[in-house]
Amino acid sequence: IASSFMLFSVSLLAIVSIALVAAFRKIIDRQSFFSLGFKFFSNIKDAFAGLFTGVFLLLVAAILMVLNKNLSWTFSEIHSTELFLSFVLMLLVAFYEELVFRGYLLNNLLQSLNQRNALCISALLFALAHLGNPDIGFIGAINIFLAGLLLGINYIFKKNLWFGIFLHFSWNFFQGPVLGFKVSGIAVKSVLSQQTSGSVLITGGSFGLEASLLTSVLFLLAIGFFYVAYKKKFTPDTLK
């Protein structure tokens, strides 16, 4: 995945996605591209919260799997160039997917629906977009839907993309190129090479960690935590 061709393909997809969102925003919505939620410095705490959340959830899942003897690692050979390409690749994916699914789709859904319904519909569209991924099954699809909820929970309250971008990036990058899990069913070159054993309900099988029931539980706990935390802070009267 960390190849020049893959990087070119993802870059092209990112450019097309950004261009389409910018055009739709200007021509149809008659608003600025920047208004989708790009204020960074006033939301830097949320950005780091997203970054930390992705790493924390991965480490909890990995530690539980190691303790249950479902997972072990050995170091593998990966060139710094490949790791850098993976870094750029995961950053691009996080940016354009958050722009499309949270910045544009969720933002527009919020214009006509309450926050909860808008969030659920955007998460469903996010899951549907991943149904073509290799070896995705029922649990994998449910977890992608839950990921859509988690990635959008900050946006419905703060209308800012950086929490989702940093969470999306940290989850994908540390999951695949660092810890050696498949990323939504796609194998990647990684710093650690893993060996899994035991029930596929725990390991996720051929789709990877995103098809594990551990991920389901962790995502649900994270969604509940952030929902309660933001609702107490912002208490939007339209959230019913």
Side-chain angles (χ1 to χ4, degrees), residues 69-86:
K69 302 186 186 305
N70 297 118
L71 174 65
S72 61
W73 285 296
T74 56
F75 283 101
S76 61
E77 292 184 7
I78 180 172
H79 296 296
S80 57
T81 301
E82 291 176 317
L83 190 61
F84 176 73
L85 287 175
S86 290

Side-chain angles (χ1 to χ4, degrees), residues 71 73-74 76 172-183 186-196 208-209:
L71 174 65
W73 285 296
T74 56
S76 61
N172 282 352
F173 180 73
F174 288 98
Q175 176 184 206
V178 176
L179 296 179
F181 292 100
K182 287 186 176 180
V183 181
I186 300 172
V188 301
K189 289 269 191 178
S190 58
V191 175
L192 297 174
S193 177
Q194 61 171 240
Q195 297 78 43
T196 58
L209 185 62

Side-chain angles (χ1 to χ4, degrees), residues 94-132:
F95 183 84
Y96 85 77
E97 287 193 355
E98 290 310 301
L99 174 66
V100 171
F101 289 99
R102 259 59 67 179
Y104 193 77
L105 292 176
L106 179 53
N107 183 66
N108 278 275
L109 287 168
L110 287 168
Q111 305 302 314
S112 55
L113 301 172
N114 65 42
Q115 281 97 328
R116 186 174 298 163
N117 290 339
L119 180 60
C120 287
I121 292 173
S122 67
L124 178 61
L125 293 172
F126 183 64
L128 290 173
H130 288 78
L131 289 183

Side-chain angles (χ1 to χ4, degrees), residues 152-222:
I153 197 99
N154 175 276
Y155 196 87
I156 64 173
F157 290 95
K158 301 198 70 176
K159 300 288 181 66
N160 190 269
L161 286 167
W162 293 110
F163 174 89
I165 290 172
F166 273 65
L167 172 54
H168 200 149
F169 164 75
S170 66
W171 174 265
N172 282 352
F173 180 73
F174 288 98
Q175 176 184 206
V178 176
L179 296 179
F181 292 100
K182 287 186 176 180
V183 181
S184 299
I186 300 172
V188 301
K189 289 269 191 178
S190 58
V191 175
L192 297 174
S193 177
Q194 61 171 240
Q195 297 78 43
T196 58
S197 61
S199 173
V200 296
L201 295 176
I202 302 299
T203 66
S206 56
F207 191 66
L209 185 62
E210 290 172 6
S212 168
L213 288 178
L214 278 176
T215 301
S216 307
V217 173
L218 290 171
F219 279 179
L220 284 169
L221 290 173

